[in-house]
Amino acid sequence: MTDPDLDKAYALQTPDDNRRLYADWAKSYDTGFAADMDYQLPRLVALLLAEIYQGPGPVLDLGAGTGLIADNMLMRGSFDIDALDISPEMLATATAKGHYRRTIEADLTRPLDIADGTYDAVVSSGTFTHGHVGPDALDEVIRIARSGALFVLTINAEHFETRGFAAKFEELAPKIGDLEHRSVNIYGGKATADHRDDQADIAIFRKR
């Protein structure tokens, strides 16, 4: 049976909505939602990073949640990874896995307390799925990356046009290069709920 909180996750509108939902979801997220829905975005992001990126980092896992990207990254090499998420409960679950160099509790709709040019790569799966994190967050994400840094970010396909991500990438053209978009299914063949055919855009690019 799929986790009943999926529709609530898709409907999030504010940072406080996010904090409340994931405080309740943190302990069962991996074994409930991720397993039941065959959630494959974290694995796809990790595979793309391994294909393109030479490491060793530091890599920022943006909206890291319970650390599903790191679970898959560390099967494919050794990386220095930091986790950033708005939910302290999700970060606590991720921390317990021992994958991360450090964790950062932060709200992507606000300026980040991270120095310019800190990261060699930035990855994310699911962060740009919910309504409260819009395309303007990309400005801060790019700021904290070094020149030449690799980005592998997933964006819910339904939000890509309606929330202004397509226009944002056009605006960012002077700051980024080698932009590629790949369409993928968010969930695998085991998913049985209404969302099993949902798609995401994976944006792959580098900071100029």
Side-chain angles (χ1 to χ4, degrees):
M1 182 175 181
T2 57
D3 197 304
D5 285 329
L6 182 57
D7 285 327
K8 293 179 183 177
Y10 273 42
L12 292 174
Q13 293 296 319
T14 69
D16 284 340
D17 289 343
N18 188 303
R19 291 186 184 96
R20 282 190 293 267
L21 176 67
Y22 286 102
D24 295 334
W25 209 358
K27 290 183 179 179
S28 66
Y29 190 85
D30 290 7
T31 56
F33 160 73
D36 291 344
M37 287 297 290
D38 198 7
Y39 182 44
Q40 64 176 2
L41 278 189
R43 179 179 59 83
L44 295 175
V45 169
L47 283 170
L48 282 168
L49 185 75
E51 176 186 322
I52 303 168
Y53 182 66
Q54 300 302 311
V59 177
L60 180 63
D61 185 355
L62 195 70
T66 60
L68 291 175
I69 290 181
D71 289 344
N72 286 274
M73 282 173 60
L74 294 172
M75 295 177 187
R76 295 168 175 84
S78 176
F79 299 92
D80 288 331
I81 319 169
D82 292 349
L84 184 150
D85 202 276
I86 196 172
S87 167
E89 292 84 4
M90 294 289 269
L91 285 175
T93 299
T95 299
K97 296 178 178 180
H99 298 335
Y100 292 106
R101 184 179 68 166
R102 68 172 179 140
T103 58
I104 304 163
E105 184 183 337
D107 177 359
L108 281 171
T109 66
R110 297 178 177 274
L112 299 173
D113 187 18
I114 300 172
D116 294 358
T118 296
Y119 290 99
D120 284 336
V122 180
V123 294
S124 179
S125 67
T127 304
F128 299 103
T129 295
H130 312 139
H132 76 285
V133 181
D136 288 343
L138 293 172
D139 293 316
E140 274 292 275
V141 175
I142 290 170
R143 178 189 66 77
I144 64 175
R146 295 173 182 167
S147 297
L150 174 68
F151 293 79
V152 183
L153 309 177
T154 71
I155 302 158
N156 185 281
E158 184 180 344
H159 291 165
F160 192 81
E161 292 287 345
T162 60
R163 295 282 296 174
F165 283 95
K168 186 64 176 181
F169 277 107
E170 291 182 10
E171 177 190 322
L172 290 171
K175 297 181 180 179
I176 65 176
D178 302 328
L179 175 63
E180 177 185 354
H181 294 283
R182 299 191 190 185
S183 265
V184 299
N185 290 326
I186 296 175
Y187 308 109
K190 296 178 183 178
T192 57
D194 293 341
H195 295 287
R196 67 181 175 187
D197 296 323
D198 289 1
Q199 293 208 316
D201 176 280
I202 302 184
I204 308 159
F205 58 94
R206 289 188 182 273
K207 180 176 178 177
R208 292 189 186 277

